[in-house]
Amino acid sequence: METVVSGIRPTGNLHLGNYFGAVKNFLQMQNDYNCSFFIADWHSLTTTAKPENIVQSARTILAEYLACGLDPDIATIYVQSDVKEVLELYLYLNMNAYLGELERTTTFKEKARQQPNNVNAGLLTYPTLMAADILIHKAVKVPVGKDQEQNMEMARKFARRFNHLYEVDFFPEPESFYFGKEAIKIPGLDGSGKMGKSDGNCIYLMDDEKTIRQKVMKAVTDSGPTKANSEKPEVIENLFTFLDIVSDKETYDFYNEQWNTCSIRYGDLKKQLAEDINKFCAPIREKIKEYSANTELLDKIAKQGAEKAQESASKTLKEVRQIIGFRP
Ligand code: TRP
């Protein structure tokens, strides 16, 4: 079975964009691949030297992953900082990662601009740590968003370089894995193209019914179509994307027909949409609450995940040490 790895930085609660862009795909993958899903808490130190509550942030994501249906008995679900083998591989990869190429990374340049007083070495070597996360399990597929493509190219480059340097055929080159042609992009409710935490346009899996309704009712619209069967502007297309995802087909068709005949009432559409989003989120929300209240269980699952991850990681590392020439 092919090995799959993906990580997420613990920066708050999961939103619908995370769900439909990533988690939903993980749910499919966990049955077909040997999957590792981890919480990248070391990576979050690159932007925040002193995060508020590291343990609790990881628990939050873990509870949400489990509530969505990721199964710790099938997939390996762990916290990055529990698997210290990653660090040793990170060190070896860093010895063959060059300043120039690291500095040229788009994400590095962007972050360096955003935090000019904290352009630290961890930020610079973010791609080597990410490569270590992947290569430590010799993963061949990595489900990520398009924004990670450059990091993925670096991971492949580091794998190739290691193989070449030591004249081995050891690390496979991990490929980015999108579902369908492109990962689904969930729009924001403010009319922007993408739901993202930093844009403040998210519906969180944890949001209660009232919050969902408020957010949906505030969604940007236009003054309505004036010509039958006209093309939808982006803000309206966004609402239909949501209908397509959470509502049933009749509902979608109903409003689409209304749009085409210029009789659409956005207020009604939004009310329906809010209801359907709530219907989707409600059972997940309940499970998140249950898991979150049971920190003992969460910690047990994290420990069990760490042990499984260590097994695979220490096997790789042992071989790496041997290839480089260290004592076993
Ligand atoms: N860089 C990824 C992100 O910001 C998170 C990440 C860290 C990751 N290590 C990884 C993703 C390894 C996939 C594989 O989204």
Side-chain angles (χ1 to χ4, degrees), residues 38-172:
F38 70 94
I39 297 159
D41 55 350
W42 276 326
H43 271 112
S44 51
L45 296 181
T46 60
T47 48
T48 319
K50 246 178 98 184
E52 265 301 302
N53 195 334
I54 298 178
V55 176
Q56 199 47 44
S57 309
R59 280 194 195 124
T60 300
I61 301 280
L62 182 58
E64 294 188 331
Y65 266 0
L66 298 169
C68 289
L70 287 189
D71 185 344
D73 290 328
I74 305 175
T76 304
I77 306 172
Y78 65 97
V79 180
Q80 186 186 35
S81 62
D82 284 339
V83 183
K84 297 181 186 53
E85 285 80 359
V86 173
L87 291 182
E88 192 172 331
L89 184 58
Y90 170 54
L91 180 131
Y92 299 142
L93 295 178
N94 269 333
M95 299 302 173
N96 295 299
Y98 301 112
L99 182 60
E101 63 187 349
L102 293 168
E103 275 177 336
R104 276 194 299 276
T105 317
T106 325
T107 36
F108 173 72
K109 286 195 281 197
E110 217 169 87
K111 288 280 182 234
R113 208 164 5 177
Q114 283 167 7
Q115 49 183 70
N117 298 320
N118 182 21
V119 186
N120 62 75
L123 195 61
L124 182 72
T125 57
Y126 187 112
T128 34
L129 182 54
M130 179 159 160
D133 291 328
I134 298 165
L135 299 179
I136 197 76
H137 299 300
K138 298 176 86 170
V140 292
K141 284 192 165 61
V142 183
V144 280
K146 280 258 184 282
D147 59 331
Q148 296 298 308
E149 198 39 47
Q150 200 171 26
N151 286 336
M152 287 303 301
E153 262 166 44
M154 307 278 277
R156 285 190 282 275
K157 196 191 280 181
F158 296 143
R160 258 197 317 272
R161 203 173 276 163
F162 181 94
N163 291 345
H164 184 75
L165 182 64
Y166 298 105
E167 296 175 52
V168 288
D169 185 15
F170 184 69
F171 286 124

